[in-house]
Amino acid sequence: MANKTRIPSFTSNVNRMVKRAMKVLKIEPGIAQAIMSCNSILQVKFPVDIKGKVEVFTGWRATHSTHRLPAKGGIRYAPIVNQDEVEALAALMTYKCAIVNVPFGGSKGGLQINPCDYTRDEVELITRRFARELVREGFLSPATNVPAPDLGTGEREMAWIADTYKHLHPEDINYSACVTGKPVHHGGISGRKEATGRGVVYAIREFFRNTEDVKTAGLNGGLGDKRIIIQGLGNVGYNAAKLLQEEDCARIISIIEKDGALVNEKGLHVESVKQYMNEHQQTVKGYPDARYIDNGDTVLEHECDILIPAALERQITSENADNIKTRLIVEAANGPVTFNADEILQQKNITILPDAFVNAGGVTVSYFEWIRNLAHIRFGRMERRYEELRGKIELSAMENLTGKAVPDLFYAELARGADELDLVRSGLDDTMRVAYQELKETFLSNNKVTDLRTAAYVVAIDKISRSYYDIGVF
Ligand code: NAD
């Protein structure tokens, strides 16, 4: 893999991509600077007693934009997390929310920690202490700044954060909206855990619905016969790969993990690889039904139809971009392709579905969860049985008029009211489809926009700048 020290920083990569889009829009320099700047960044250092020894932890929370409130974005736990990374990810959140029409500003947080080095109780202690710091410094509340899961964090961390906020602010009736991605029994929403991965799949499906775009990418046919390589079988990668395999009949020919890659041209069984990882300390080494390649990064360069980086930023750089042999890159991770690599891939006519669009499913369903928390009611609770009754009345009218019985399969579907999961999936699907069409329209209507990433940033910056022009800069 490329030497990371020689690769431009994550923030500089994002800013260069944004500047490319700003040139197309001809934004006033002051407004451009205001949009690109990170509003505020908090660094905290706090001690925690671990097994009788005091350890000091470092964490960040960046608020990139507040043109919409609350500012929204995940919290990642990783040993190598740093301020630059958190600022870049916060900026991506601003653009992402604008692209999928989610009315939030952009934020991101990070804690320098390897969660695997600590017991569950220790991680809880550290998380609650970090949450207290964020609340005290005004970087966590349902109205202003709402975190979510990211690398190394999940439902349990979100539940601890919500509970800590509740204890500090028992008077806030909306306390559970201070964080999203909570377990369903603690105010979470059905379908949030899978949302980013499912959103990735909805983005790919929408791309394949547009046959002319598929042709331009040098592909043909449907998603069903496509050979896919995926990097990272974590939350996003696993949910995306599983759906692509089980619902779209795509072939996952390789899974690249942190300790090596599995390759099987006939297709890997995603669920059994995941199960194997869970039973073997998260390693893929030794999985029986595949060839194991020690240096997993080299598999990014294998030939395939669709390459899905779903692990980390800066995986495809100017050092390996020339060797990439796919037709379509779907950026499920944040920032997996650097600016320089992006330019090389464009020259190679490789189509990229950009991160700020592709992985926006998480924040979209987080938005649904936040609304659910503020409304204090689960989606579908009022109308589900009513819809069921209407369906049954319509079916019996149909049967009376035709004298024929409706087949069982249709009967069951038509005499059913939508539950929360149905509504969440429908809202997510609609969001990804509408966002893709907005990107495409921008791409087609402006000859200075030569790729979908620039189109995505043009869409985002246009919306954000309008809000600056409408409200004014104070
Ligand atoms: P995760 O921690 O659940 O999974 C990451 C996976 O990548 C793990 O299986 C890990 O072992 C693997 N990995 C780590 N380093 C690797 C390497 N060098 N090569 C190959 N695999 C490696 O994290 P996640 O939540 O799935 O997030 C993945 C990416 O998606 C990140 O870029 C994150 O910012 C982005 N993202 C996540 C969400 C979300 O809802 N979780 C939302 C939007 C974007």
Side-chain angles (χ1 to χ4, degrees), residues 76 150-152 196 232-236 257-258 310-312 333-334 359:
R76 59 171 52 177
D150 195 72
L151 261 170
T196 309
L233 205 66
N235 179 356
V236 179
E257 254 297 325
K258 58 180 178 296
L312 298 170
N334 281 313
N359 69 33

Side-chain angles (χ1 to χ4, degrees), residues 7-8 13 17 314-318 331 335-343 345 453:
I7 305 168
N13 278 315
M17 289 167 179
R314 296 190 291 164
Q315 296 302 296
I316 302 174
T317 70
S318 52
E331 294 185 332
V337 174
T338 64
F339 180 81
N340 290 335
D342 185 77
E343 303 240 297
L345 296 167
R453 189 194 306 284

Side-chain angles (χ1 to χ4, degrees), residues 1 4 76-77 89 93 96 108 148-153 192-193 195-197 230-238 256-260 274 277 282 296-297 309-313 315 332-336 355 359-363:
M1 230 283 299
K4 283 262 174 84
R76 59 171 52 177
Y77 283 5
L89 289 162
M93 284 307 296
K96 197 178 294 186
K108 201 78 179 191
D150 195 72
L151 261 170
T153 57
R192 172 60 185 88
K193 207 171 165 182
T196 309
I230 191 149
Q231 183 194 38
L233 205 66
N235 179 356
V236 179
Y238 161 69
I256 309 170
E257 254 297 325
K258 58 180 178 296
D259 60 337
K274 188 69 179 170
M277 285 175 71
Q282 298 307 313
D297 293 333
L312 298 170
E313 62 273 5
Q315 296 302 296
N334 281 313
D355 50 1
N359 69 33
V363 75

